Amino acid sequence: MDLSKEKIERKLQDMCIKELNGLSKYKLIYMDDDSFDLRPTDTGRLMARYYLAFETMKSFSTLTGNENLPELLALVSSCKEFEDIQLRVNEKKILNDLNKSKTTSIRFPLPGKIKTRAMKINCLIQATFGCLPITEPTFNQDIAKIFRSGIRVTQCLAEYLRFDTKGFSVLYNAIVLGKCFKARLWENSKHVSRQLDKIGVTLSTVFVNAGITSFESLANTNPRELELILNRNPPFGSILVDSVKHLPQYEIEAEQVSRFLCSVI
């Protein structure tokens, strides 16, 4: 097909205008039709800062403000950033076992069987958050990819909801989900020790079985007892206790000063 320079330029211009109109429609840029002045919006800057796909930002705009934690997780799992994750036939049985196992099931089981890439991603995220045993080597590679992008997506989602003001509930759930991605744990997990250096799923499970399910209980346990529980040599326990004691401690106090006002200390 022989195209002149003018036709090529016109075609490129039409393509650019189409994409710009799409960005403007979803409030990612301001576009003045008269002067053709282009400026990014706050959400557009978020998209650029976190390197997210246009389709992902479009999915954020579908939120109503009533989404709970599993619904936000389903939204994140279907983002375009994970399109290189493949669902293989030989993985379905393992994923279905993780999804609806009687002993080691994920927190929010998915309906039916695992049939799509998004369902696989959702299942692997929940299995990681729940410290469930994952023995398939390819899953570990996929999980590494998922969390690299997932942290960016959830951080952007939380900031997007701050700008969009869809409601406190969905913003809270987005922040919780972002924290879960950073820690690779559910917000109510007993495997808190997994966040410490040299403590993985296996050792954190040993701690849970021994009743050590918080940083406070770990810090108050004798280092030699910790080493006995984990079958480790000194000074492993002392290093763990010392690292926990150096974690920042936060407190918040609220005092009601009148019927309608309160002061936060």
Side-chain angles (χ1 to χ4, degrees):
M1 185 176 181
D2 187 18
L3 293 176
S4 64
K5 181 179 178 181
E6 290 76 13
K7 289 183 178 180
I8 293 175
E9 289 182 352
R10 191 180 306 116
K11 182 68 174 178
L12 291 174
Q13 185 178 11
D14 291 342
M15 291 171 61
C16 289
I17 291 175
K18 179 183 177 182
E19 297 302 322
L20 289 172
N21 286 333
L23 292 171
S24 177
K25 177 182 177 181
Y26 289 95
K27 300 180 181 180
L28 297 171
I29 62 170
Y30 294 113
M31 186 168 65
D32 191 324
D33 294 332
D34 297 327
S35 63
F36 212 68
D37 181 33
L38 300 176
R39 287 176 294 144
T41 63
D42 289 333
T43 51
R45 290 189 180 94
L46 284 179
M47 176 182 172
R49 185 192 310 165
Y50 290 102
Y51 305 101
L52 295 193
F54 179 38
E55 295 299 322
T56 297
M57 299 304 293
K58 286 168 64 176
S59 68
F60 289 175
S61 68
T62 64
L63 294 171
T64 63
N66 299 317
E67 287 78 9
N68 54 27
L69 192 59
E71 288 171 338
L72 285 183
L73 180 56
L75 174 75
V76 170
S77 300
S78 62
C79 286
K80 191 174 179 62
E81 281 67 23
F82 306 122
E83 65 179 358
D84 60 332
I85 303 294
Q86 301 297 322
L87 175 60
R88 305 170 185 88
V89 176
N90 62 329
E91 297 173 342
K92 292 184 178 181
K93 183 180 184 305
I94 303 174
L95 291 169
N96 286 321
D97 288 341
L98 286 172
N99 186 35
K100 293 188 176 179
S101 170
K102 294 181 179 179
T103 55
T104 56
S105 177
I106 58 178
R107 181 178 178 182
F108 303 114
L110 305 173
K113 294 185 177 181
I114 305 298
K115 299 177 182 178
T116 65
R117 175 176 63 241
M119 294 180 75
K120 170 186 173 177
I121 293 168
N122 193 324
C123 187
L124 289 180
I125 291 172
Q126 292 199 58
T128 304
F129 287 170
C131 294
L132 301 183
I134 299 174
T135 57
E136 183 67 28
T138 56
F139 283 166
N140 293 321
Q141 298 174 11
D142 288 336
I143 288 170
K145 294 179 183 178
I146 290 168
F147 276 83
R148 274 198 301 269
S149 298
I151 291 174
R152 286 191 293 112
V153 172
T154 51
Q155 284 180 334
C156 184
L157 175 60
E159 291 198 39
Y160 170 84
L161 290 171
R162 289 194 187 101
F163 288 128
D164 203 79
T165 61
K166 290 183 180 290
F168 171 78
S169 178
V170 68
L171 173 59
Y172 170 78
N173 287 324
I175 292 173
V176 168
L177 184 59
K179 292 176 67 176
C180 291
F181 264 90
K182 285 185 178 179
R184 294 199 175 197
L185 291 171
W186 286 118
E187 82 285 1
N188 59 356
S189 176
K190 295 181 179 181
H191 294 257
V192 293
S193 60
R194 186 184 170 189
Q195 300 172 74
L196 299 175
D197 189 30
K198 298 181 181 179
I199 299 294
V201 174
T202 302
L203 294 185
S204 68
T205 302
V206 174
F207 271 144
V208 170
N209 293 335
I212 300 175
T213 57
S214 68
F215 286 134
E216 182 181 3
S217 60
L218 196 154
N220 293 332
T221 304
N222 187 289
R224 305 292 81 79
E225 185 178 347
L226 295 177
E227 291 157 0
L228 184 63
I229 293 171
L230 298 179
N231 193 24
R232 291 293 187 273
N233 296 322
F236 191 83
S238 300
I239 294 173
L240 286 182
V241 171
D242 188 59
S243 62
V244 171
K245 289 183 177 180
H246 281 83
L247 293 174
Q249 302 291 326
Y250 299 100
E251 293 183 2
I252 183 170
E253 296 181 6
E255 178 183 356
Q256 185 169 338
V257 294
S258 69
R259 185 177 178 183
F260 300 106
L261 299 175
C262 71
S263 62
V264 178
I265 303 174

